[in-house]
Amino acid sequence: MSAEAAGSEQSERAGAGAYGAGPRADGGGGGLERINPPHLAPPTGFSHAVRAAPGTLVFLAGQTALDGSGKIVGDGIVEQFERALTNLLEVAAAAGAGPSDLAKLTVFAVDVADYRRHARELGRVWKRLIGGDFPAMAVIGATRLWDETALVEIEGIAMVRER
């Protein structure tokens, strides 16, 4: 086999099939392909990478648990996470993106240990609001957020297909 043919074969294997991910069977995901190489630790609640098909990227600004009057609502991390994620989903929808179009999210938490302690509850909120699609994701500890009473902020990138 020529080096060129071997490289082409290797490129094909490096695609979704080789990594056990690909477009969802139901056609959802807005052209996003979740990539989770089998030689890495299995992801729990995120994807190692998300590849976007041609379309329009939408950059979603960080959302906290602000209500319509500009006040932070929710006493704990779970309540604030739910409101922040709901706000992010509303912004995404206004830009033409749904939950399965989320390609990357960054969660900023003022107390990462508290975030981890509530991981199961946060996971239930995620499943209820978004389902089983997991974007590429990171949780980053922050000393404080713009709103002093905010415990969590979520920003993201979504992909909207051209219409």
Side-chain angles (χ1 to χ4, degrees):
M1 173 181 294
S2 73
E4 186 176 296
S8 174
E9 183 179 327
Q10 187 176 21
S11 288
E12 285 180 25
R13 282 189 306 221
Y19 295 135
R24 290 189 354 211
D26 65 3
L32 297 179
E33 179 182 10
R34 275 94 175 131
I35 301 170
N36 295 299
H39 61 280
L40 295 180
T44 303
F46 71 98
S47 292
H48 285 293
V50 176
R51 180 178 14 214
T56 302
L57 289 178
V58 178
F59 297 88
L60 306 168
Q63 299 295 315
T64 58
L66 288 175
D67 66 9
S69 69
K71 300 219 187 280
I72 296 290
V73 296
D75 293 328
I77 188 80
V78 177
E79 296 86 5
Q80 286 199 21
F81 177 84
E82 181 170 359
R83 183 57 185 244
L85 186 57
T86 298
N87 290 348
L88 185 91
L89 291 171
E90 288 177 8
V91 170
S100 64
D101 297 318
L102 296 172
K104 174 152 185 15
L105 293 183
T106 303
V107 177
F108 299 93
V110 296
D111 186 345
V112 174
D114 187 43
Y115 186 94
R116 288 178 61 110
R117 275 192 300 278
H118 291 91
R120 287 189 191 274
E121 296 163 87
L122 296 170
R124 285 192 287 272
V125 169
W126 181 274
K127 291 232 183 213
R128 184 168 34 82
L129 295 178
I130 293 184
D133 285 329
F134 297 107
M137 210 164 153
V139 176
I140 298 173
T143 304
R144 91 178 256 299
L145 300 169
W146 181 261
D147 297 293
E148 291 184 24
T149 56
L151 302 174
V152 65
E153 183 170 333
I154 307 170
E155 69 173 16
I157 300 171
M159 198 280 298
V160 180
R161 283 198 239 193
E162 296 176 10
R163 297 188 171 130

